[in-house]
Amino acid sequence: MLSSIKTISTNSKKRFLFIRCLSITHPKTKVVITTDEAIEGIGSNITLLSGGFGLSGVPDTVINAMVNHPAINNVTAVSNNAGLDGRGLSQLLVTGQITKMISSYIGGNRTFEKLYLTGKIDLELTPQGNLAERVRAGAAGIPAFYSSAGVGTWLEEGKLPVRYDETGEKVLKASEPREVREFNGRKFLLEPAINGDVAVIKAYKADTLGNCWFRGAARNFNSVMGRNAKLTIVEAEHIVEPGEIPPEDVHLPSIYVDRVIKSTTPKDIEIFKYSEPASETSEEPKSENDLKRAKIVKRAAQEFTDGSFANLGIGMPTLAPNYLPENINVTLQSENGILGLGPYPQKGEEDADLINAGKETVTLAPGASLFGSEESFAMIRGGKIDLTILGGLQVSSKGDLANWGLPGRVKGMGGAMDLVSNPAATRVVVVMEHVDKKGRPKILNECQFPLTGKRCVSRIITDLAVFDVVDERLVLIEIDPEATVEEIKQKTEAPFEVSPNLKKIEI
Ligand SMILES: *[C@@H]1O[C@H](CO)[C@@H](O)[C@H](O)[C@H]1NC(C)=O
Ligand SMILES: *[C@@H]1O[C@H](CO)[C@@H](O)[C@H](O)[C@H]1NC(C)=O
Ligand SMILES: *[C@@H]1O[C@H](CO)[C@@H](O)[C@H](O)[C@H]1NC(C)=O
Ligand SMILES: *[C@@H]1O[C@H](CO)[C@@H](O)[C@H](O)[C@H]1NC(C)=O
């Protein structure tokens, strides 16, 4: 669009400004009708970015069109996870079209894990916040950045297994060790940007020029990936005319988008969770294990302070707000882009675009806000979250946490490394059973499993005890009314001090 600006002086000394548009060429529509047109020109040896978190906001229509496409092979796919078997990117894993994944989490189904553990694919496990920021940096022309996530872990040391042999026992290729640098007395790792050739994303609304609007928590990785690649393909539930999305509500400006196609695949929900009527919540835990977990969860609920912001891990931590003391308000953050989680929905009110980090249906509390994964983790890494409660596999006496991988059982770190990466600002509370299923201690001198974070844990809550980590030493501060210090000593490998103010756990 060309325009000329002329300034003309008049006798009255007023100056008039004329703006004359010589030509306004209305930009061409980016809408394509067939999936063949949508994926035209995509070839082999590419880096493919795919939006979505769990089953939310996944560009299924475009991905389905790539399955078994003869031209699309040897793909490096960048996606937080790979969907479920038979859905999303896992289909391209099964066909062998994807040869490398860059992800934070393997997800609920086994195909991905099996291919990885039998040496069929490369996997670059990346903390979820680093993943979002590596994509954001690539989009913004920044080649690398320093991040605190993963300091002191296999990420720093270059020990994350990238490729196994056929037996899954030998690591043939490991990750690149990271350059470490200190800023203001804290360590950071140099993380390289990711630059995509093609991005496939899903929007709720796109206009014919490519401006996009995302609904609920389905923005997740979609907006940041949509900004990154050389070729960005949007599938939208609704295609509208320019101007129908108010300019101030455009989440992804048209400049980033090349093609728009109507989404034709239905939305799915991975885990339906509902608020139960009060009568049904009268907890009568069945097993001894349920009783233990209920105790842990109730004690964990006492960690919330009024007016604070908290992020809760999957499992026991997610249940803690059910036992929130009455006079306390907390705002819950969900890593996939929600600040202000409400309760689980009533039956019939579930929404595929509103899920939490555990892929469960949720609602929004009044005053909630929604954003993309890159902003979610900026909030987390930037220390705006006051408290994170996470599950643990092992904790060391110095406050190291291991909670993302077992030998031979890989899940991925998801957002956990990011969540514990700023412990001076975000208090890290670990909830776990005191001993594992075989009765072995989980509080150890040193963690045996790969670390999530080093020297990051402030408090450990188990079914038997509460410990604080003070100057890299464990202090027993509370004890189950039916346990003895002697029993705790037997079930804890790490040495600990007993607080002079030792209390009974009250729940
Ligand atoms: C992909 O890379 C391989 C190895 O570098 C090369 O032989 C092949 O021609 C490439 N394919 C395409 C479509 O670029
Ligand atoms: C796969 O693609 C990568 C680049 O993305 C290239 O380096 C590699 O040689 C390719 N492998 C094959 C077997 O084409
Ligand atoms: C994988 O998902 C399919 C459905 O998509 C399900 O039938 C199967 O049980 C799942 N497998 C595992 C190991 O979770
Ligand atoms: C919690 O928030 C609600 C709604 O904003 C408010 O009515 C209530 O007074 C708050 N409670 C406390 C203890 O701040």
Side-chain angles (χ1 to χ4, degrees), residues 272-277 280 344-350 361:
F272 290 84
K273 273 284 235 187
Y274 300 109
S275 287
E276 284 154 18
E280 288 175 33
Y344 292 123
Q346 299 294 323
K347 273 214 170 82
E349 286 175 355
E350 65 273 13
T361 48

Side-chain angles (χ1 to χ4, degrees), residues 56 215-216 267-269 272 345 348-355 360-362:
S56 167
R215 185 171 171 276
K267 293 195 272 193
D268 267 342
I269 292 173
F272 290 84
E349 286 175 355
E350 65 273 13
D351 182 338
D353 293 333
L354 286 178
I355 58 166
E360 300 168 336
T361 48
V362 292

Side-chain angles (χ1 to χ4, degrees), residues 135-153:
V135 174
R136 197 200 70 81
I142 295 169
F145 59 92
Y146 285 99
S147 166
S148 52
V151 168
T153 72

Side-chain angles (χ1 to χ4, degrees), residues 349-383:
E349 286 175 355
E350 65 273 13
D351 182 338
D353 293 333
L354 286 178
I355 58 166
N356 64 14
K359 326 280 167 28
E360 300 168 336
T361 48
V362 292
T363 62
L364 300 179
S369 54
L370 297 159
F371 33 84
S373 303
E374 75 289 6
E375 174 147 10
S376 175
F377 281 95
M379 243 171 236
I380 289 168
R381 215 185 293 106

Side-chain angles (χ1 to χ4, degrees), residues 295 463-465 478-484 487 503-507:
K295 270 204 295 202
D463 47 305
L464 295 179
E478 292 175 35
I479 181 168
D480 183 77
E482 284 161 33
T484 61
E487 178 188 359
K503 290 195 311 183
K504 303 257 183 242
I505 295 176
E506 279 177 47
I507 52 173

Side-chain angles (χ1 to χ4, degrees), residues 24-240:
I24 301 177
T25 45
H26 201 68
K28 232 177 66 198
T29 175
K30 292 173 182 167
V31 177
V32 297
I33 306 300
T34 65
T35 51
D36 281 349
E37 292 170 88
I39 64 171
E40 197 202 321
I42 301 179
S44 294
N45 305 353
I46 57 159
T47 296
L48 171 73
L49 315 180
S50 171
F53 182 94
L55 299 183
S56 167
V58 178
D60 282 310
T61 305
V62 178
I63 291 173
N64 289 348
M66 294 183 177
V67 178
N68 284 319
H69 195 291
I72 305 173
N73 273 301
N74 189 26
V75 172
T76 294
V78 181
S79 175
N80 186 55
N81 41 275
L84 296 181
D85 282 1
R87 292 206 42 150
L89 290 178
S90 86
Q91 300 171 89
L92 299 174
L93 283 165
V94 173
T95 58
Q97 289 166 281
I98 293 177
T99 45
K100 177 176 177 179
M101 288 285 306
I102 303 181
S103 300
S104 80
Y105 195 69
I106 281 180
N109 220 290
R110 293 288 174 86
T111 308
F112 186 2
E113 181 174 359
K114 196 167 153 212
L115 290 167
Y116 174 52
L117 290 177
T118 55
K120 301 280 193 317
I121 54 161
D122 282 11
L123 169 61
E124 189 178 321
L125 273 175
T126 302
Q128 194 174 138
N130 280 4
L131 182 65
E133 192 62 16
R134 288 176 65 188
V135 174
R136 197 200 70 81
I142 295 169
F145 59 92
Y146 285 99
S147 166
S148 52
V151 168
T153 72
W154 282 1
L155 181 70
E156 174 182 331
E157 295 162 6
K159 288 188 182 158
L160 291 166
V162 171
R163 188 143 192 144
Y164 285 100
D165 72 351
E166 287 156 17
T167 67
E169 272 157 33
K170 203 167 146 212
V171 176
L172 300 180
K173 188 161 48 160
S175 56
E176 291 285 322
R178 297 299 201 251
E179 184 186 314
V180 184
R181 192 158 157 188
E182 266 190 35
F183 296 91
N184 304 319
R186 280 177 70 200
K187 278 189 179 174
F188 295 83
L189 309 182
L190 187 65
E191 286 295 318
I194 290 171
N195 292 290
D197 298 301
V198 179
V200 294
I201 65 166
K202 174 152 181 194
Y204 185 74
K205 270 188 205 170
D207 70 21
T208 57
L209 306 180
N211 291 301
C212 293
W213 185 85
F214 302 96
R215 185 171 171 276
R219 194 173 334 173
N220 53 57
F221 280 87
N222 282 301
S223 62
V224 75
M225 288 182 168
R227 284 167 164 80
N228 178 293
K230 292 176 203 145
L231 173 69
T232 290
I233 305 161
V234 175
E235 69 173 76
E237 289 173 59
H238 302 278
I239 298 179
V240 300

